[in-house]
Each structure stands twice: as structure tokens, then as C-alpha cells.
Amino acid sequence: MLWSLIKILFFVALVAALTMGANLLMETGPGVRLAVGTLEFNLGPLQAVIAALVGLAVIWGVFKLAGLLVAFLHFLNGDETAVSRYFSRNRERKGYQALSEALLALSSGEGRQAMAKAAKAEKYLRKPEVTALVTAQASEMVGDRKRAEAAYKTLLKSDKTRFVGIRGILGQKLDEGDTDTALALAQKAFALRPRNEGVQDTLLKLQAEKHDWKGARQTLGAKLKHGGMPRDVHRRRDAVLAVSQAKEVLAEGNSIQAREAAIEAARLSPDLVPAAAMAARAYIEQDKARYAARVIKKAWESQPHPELATAFAEIEAGEGPRDRLKRFEQLLRLKPDHPESKMLRAELLIAAEDFPAARRAMGDLASEDPTTRTLAIMAAIERGEGADEAVVRGWLARAVTAPRGPQWVCDKCQAIAAEWGPTCSNCGAFDTLSWRRPTVPETTASPTGAEMLPLIVGAPAPAPDAAPEADVVDMPGARAEDGDGATPSKEAETARA
């Protein structure tokens, strides 16, 4: 502070001296006469200017020597770096100037210039932990991945910048598709900075892709602990991971552990359809029909779904069509006006061969919301009531090209999935599949079109030694419900011969 005040006072005095000198020069005419004791100097204008410049240089040298003397006194006083700081001050000024220019070039998109300025800054500053990050980002900008990786590895040498280096290499491995190395790096980054939300999300996504459900649930718990996720979102996503874990455990043959995981998933998120269906089947295996029905009803109130209806039918697998229709009333009355409830009621009535009631249950759903399933149900009703074959084929022909209705759609990339999963198979996003109508037009024909062709164009004649088969069209995921108590359809039960 004192040194800055001295500099300011010196600048003011210098300006005053120059002003006085200019006045004297104007008063004395073309020359300047200096008298120092018994000595007298007569200088012309040019000589006076040169003398002034020399004087300024001498004064500047005096100040530099004074600064060096002060640094030396500090050194003698115990400050071991005082002298070295004095000589490096100019280098630091040039280095930070080059670093600021590198940052400006980087933000302007001039990668090569940023790399050159960063190299210059490193030459003066000799602080790779400061300049390596700029070099790495500039190298990535120009596509020099090897140099970028080398710069990130430089950052690994310092404790202060190790996290930045790991995260930089992590991003490179993700771009290269090396998910195994990326997972290991994400775990190291998470250990260093468990509160970093970006690392949490990356690690969670990689763990889900690798089916490391236990590790993913731990990461999810860390997000909740460090305030990176609301509690209700945590419960939902924890349920997604739990049901995924249950499916994998079941595939490995451990049905007991799978049942426990499925029941836990349904408890965490009762509106998660796959969890509810799996938990219901787990209760059925334990002969706890009442618990299974309760889980399905709770999920149905939130989101009616064909999979829930299938699981509900499995509670009493051997009942007849009339008994099943009666039992399903407790489920249907929860959401009577929902399209899924209407279609399910119509399917049950078709299985019970009450076709007029099935038509009444459908109402105007086929005209207001024509989908593959609704039109196929109408074809079944028409055939059951003995309508002309052309009428049945007309309904089926419309069903071939009709939209499929609600499906598992990714909320992020809008891709359609054949079945539910914890991650989107198209974009890899976690917990983005929801049961709804696609927002983009369906560009591919329904896969049921080929199955409907025998009814539309006529089935080929059976071979002489072959037994004739029933003329049945099976909708996607559909299961015909016969009098022996088979499971009702998840989609639509269509026409029967």
C-alpha cells in the first residue's frame, strides 16, 4: 500500500516537473542553461530533450535498484523467495497476459491460437495445472484428441486438478464408446467429488447400462443425500432400479430374492406398471391373492395398462369367462371411462360370447380413437354377431394401417420401445420410458399386419394330412381367453371362425 502511494506521488511530481521544465524552456528561448554550484551547462532544445530522457532513465533505474534493495532486505529478514519474486514479476505479467489471450481465443472458437497462447503462458508461468486445461480444451476444439488426452493426464499429477483431468478423460472415453474405462473413471471421479451432479448422472447411467443395479442404487442414494434429487424422484428411480434388479435375479433362477425385490419396487413406486405386475406375480407365487389384487388395483388407478390386466387374470387362472368378467368388475370400476377399461371389458365380454354387450362397452371408441386394437375388437364383435365376411375384413383392413395407440415411448428421444426397460435402447437415457401415445407419426406398419392377412385375403387351404386350424388373428401381445380360463389379452382378441 505504501509503495503504491509512493508511485502515485512520484507520478504527480514528474508531471509537475515536466510542466515547470516546459515553462522554463519557453522563458529562456532556444536553449537551456543549467547551473550546478560553480558549473554551468548550456543545452540546446534537442540536447535538453535528450538530457530529460536520460534523466528519466536514470530515475527509472534508481527505482528498480530501490525495489531490488527492498527485496534483498526482505530476503535478509527471512523471506527466502523475495529476490526470486522480484525477478519473476515481469515473467508473471507476460505469462498472465498470454493466458488471458488464450482464454479469449478459446471462447472465440480459435483453437489453434488458444493452444499457441497457452504454450506461451506455460513458458512464462511454468504452471501446467493452469495452462493444461486450456490446452486440452483447445486441442479438443481442433480435433487433436491425443494432445488433449496428454494435457488431461498432466492435470492428474496435481491433487487440485486431478478431478478435472479424470472428468476430461472420462468425456473422451464416452465419445469413443469405451464404456468399461468410462465406468472406472466415473467411479474415481465420484470418489473425489461425490456432490458433483454431472458425475453422479454419468455414473448412474453407466451403471444402469452395465446392469450394476446395486451400485446404481448406491449412487442414487448419494444423489438424495447430497441434495441433488427430490425425495419423490428418488423413490421412483429407486423403484425402477429395484424392478430391474428383480428381473435379472429372476433370470438367474433366484426366485425368492426376485420376489422380495419386486415387492420392494412396488412399495417404492406403486404407479410403476412393471413393478406392480411383477410384485403381483410374486404374491401369487406365495398364494397371497389379496395382496396381489391390491397392488394391481393401486397401479390401475394411476395408469391402466394391459400388463396389469394380464397379471390380474393370473390370480385365478382356472376360472371361466363369466366368473372372470364378474371378478374383473372390481378393477374396471376404478377407471370406467378410460379407453383401456372399455377395451378390457369388451374383450372379456367377447370371451363370454356376449357380443351385443361388448359393442355397448366399446361405445364410440372405435370411431373417435381408431387404433389397431379398437378396430380389431370391432372385427371380433362383428364376426361374433354373424356379420358378413366383407364387414369383418373391412375392420381388419383398417386395423392394419391404424396407429397402435399407447406404447412405451422415450420422453427424451421419442423412440418407441417394444417393452419397458430402465434405460432407453435408442438414446440410453435413464427412466424416460412412459406409457403414452407417440408424439411423432409412426412410420412403420404395424407388425400385426402380416398376422391379419389370412383373414383379409383368405387363409390357404390346409394340407390333406393336416388338421384344420382355427381362423384366429392374434393382435400384438394378445391372448385369446377361452372357456378354460386362459389369460385375457393384453392388446385385443380378434375375430374367431
Side-chain angles (χ1 to χ4, degrees):
M1 185 70 180
L2 180 61
W3 183 247
S4 299
L5 180 61
I6 293 173
K7 287 182 178 180
I8 294 173
L9 293 175
F10 171 74
F11 177 76
V12 174
L14 180 62
V15 172
L18 290 174
T19 304
M20 293 178 61
N23 290 332
L24 290 174
L25 187 61
M26 293 176 62
E27 292 176 358
T28 57
V32 175
R33 184 174 62 87
L34 295 177
V36 180
T38 59
L39 299 176
E40 182 176 316
F41 301 94
N42 294 312
L43 303 175
L46 180 59
Q47 293 173 330
V49 172
I50 294 174
L53 294 176
V54 171
L56 290 176
V58 170
I59 294 173
W60 178 83
V62 170
F63 271 95
K64 285 293 182 180
L65 290 175
L68 178 59
L69 179 60
V70 172
F72 185 71
L73 292 176
H74 282 293
F75 175 76
L76 294 178
N77 199 32
D79 189 352
E80 297 179 356
T81 62
V83 177
S84 61
R85 287 203 311 271
Y86 173 80
F87 287 107
S88 64
R89 189 172 298 141
N90 187 46
R91 294 175 58 86
E92 288 184 354
R93 181 182 61 80
K94 292 181 179 179
Y96 284 117
Q97 177 66 27
L99 183 61
S100 63
E101 292 175 356
L103 292 173
L104 290 174
L106 186 64
S107 62
S108 302
E110 300 173 353
R112 297 195 179 279
Q113 183 178 356
M115 292 169 61
K117 293 296 183 180
K120 182 179 179 181
E122 171 61 22
K123 177 182 176 181
Y124 286 116
L125 297 176
R126 296 177 183 175
K127 293 182 177 180
E129 66 275 9
V130 177
T131 58
L133 181 59
V134 180
T135 302
Q137 293 180 348
S139 300
E140 287 184 336
M141 185 178 294
V142 300
D144 190 349
R145 301 183 63 85
K146 291 185 178 180
R147 186 169 182 178
E149 184 175 357
Y152 283 129
K153 288 182 178 179
T154 302
L155 295 173
L156 299 177
K157 299 176 181 179
S158 173
D159 293 338
K160 296 180 179 180
T161 59
R162 183 172 292 114
F163 173 77
V164 179
I166 292 175
R167 192 170 183 185
I169 300 175
L170 169 61
Q172 287 191 319
K173 297 303 179 183
L174 287 175
D175 293 339
E176 295 171 2
D178 187 357
T179 54
D180 292 333
T181 306
L183 177 59
L185 290 170
Q187 291 171 341
K188 290 182 179 179
F190 180 74
L192 291 173
R193 300 279 181 88
R195 293 178 177 271
N196 189 283
E197 294 186 13
V199 172
Q200 291 173 352
D201 294 338
T202 302
L203 178 58
L204 183 62
K205 179 181 175 181
L206 290 171
Q207 288 172 328
E209 289 179 357
K210 299 295 182 181
H211 293 188
D212 181 10
W213 309 120
K214 182 178 180 180
R217 296 185 73 178
Q218 292 176 350
T219 304
L220 201 67
K223 285 181 68 69
L224 176 66
K225 177 182 178 181
H226 297 302
M229 177 179 291
R231 187 168 295 276
D232 56 340
V233 178
H234 170 266
R235 289 177 63 87
R236 157 78 185 193
R237 295 191 174 179
D238 195 26
V240 170
L241 294 173
V243 72
S244 302
Q245 185 178 9
K247 286 184 175 181
E248 191 160 293
V249 170
L250 184 62
E252 295 173 355
N254 193 340
S255 59
I256 297 177
Q257 186 178 351
R259 286 200 303 264
E260 294 176 352
I263 293 171
E264 181 189 7
R267 179 184 60 81
L268 291 170
S269 183
D271 60 338
L272 185 60
V273 170
M278 197 169 185
R281 292 187 173 99
Y283 281 126
I284 292 171
E285 291 179 5
Q286 297 174 329
D287 295 328
K288 297 180 179 179
R290 187 178 64 177
Y291 291 105
R294 184 167 60 188
V295 169
I296 294 173
K297 289 177 186 177
K298 197 165 187 179
W300 189 273
E301 285 181 324
S302 176
Q303 175 65 72
H305 191 277
E307 183 67 23
L308 297 175
T310 303
F312 196 74
E314 294 173 6
I315 296 176
E316 298 290 343
E319 63 188 344
R322 291 290 177 181
D323 293 335
R324 176 158 293 176
L325 178 61
K326 182 178 179 181
R327 185 171 62 86
F328 262 77
E329 283 296 332
Q330 56 183 312
L331 187 67
L332 295 172
R333 64 169 173 258
L334 297 176
K335 289 276 188 176
D337 297 328
H338 195 279
E340 183 63 39
S341 298
K342 292 181 179 180
M343 290 185 288
L344 177 59
R345 184 185 294 277
E347 290 173 353
L348 293 169
L349 289 168
I350 290 173
E353 298 185 357
D354 190 350
F355 300 105
R359 185 184 293 274
R360 290 193 299 272
M362 287 293 292
D364 54 0
L365 191 61
S367 58
E368 291 186 354
D369 186 17
T371 63
T372 298
R373 186 177 172 191
T374 58
L375 297 174
I377 290 175
M378 291 305 300
I381 293 172
E382 294 287 356
R383 172 158 289 182
E385 291 181 337
D388 188 83
E389 191 68 20
V391 177
V392 177
R393 292 183 179 181
W395 284 106
L396 293 175
R398 290 177 58 192
V400 172
T401 57
R404 297 196 60 189
Q407 301 175 69
W408 290 115
V409 183
C410 177
D411 295 331
K412 184 177 180 180
C413 68
Q414 308 304 318
I416 300 173
E419 60 181 9
W420 179 87
T423 57
C424 174
S425 59
N426 183 58
C427 67
F430 177 74
D431 189 26
T432 56
L433 294 182
S434 58
W435 183 256
R436 60 179 175 84
R437 294 178 181 274
T439 56
V440 295
E442 298 177 47
T443 56
T444 58
S446 170
T448 59
E451 300 173 6
M452 291 183 179
L453 285 178
L455 277 179
I456 297 174
V457 302
D465 57 346
E469 297 181 359
D471 190 9
V472 180
V473 173
D474 215 7
M475 296 302 299
R479 302 175 187 173
E481 180 178 7
D482 298 318
D484 60 355
T487 303
S489 66
K490 290 194 306 181
E491 294 285 342
E493 177 179 351
T494 57
R496 296 188 176 191

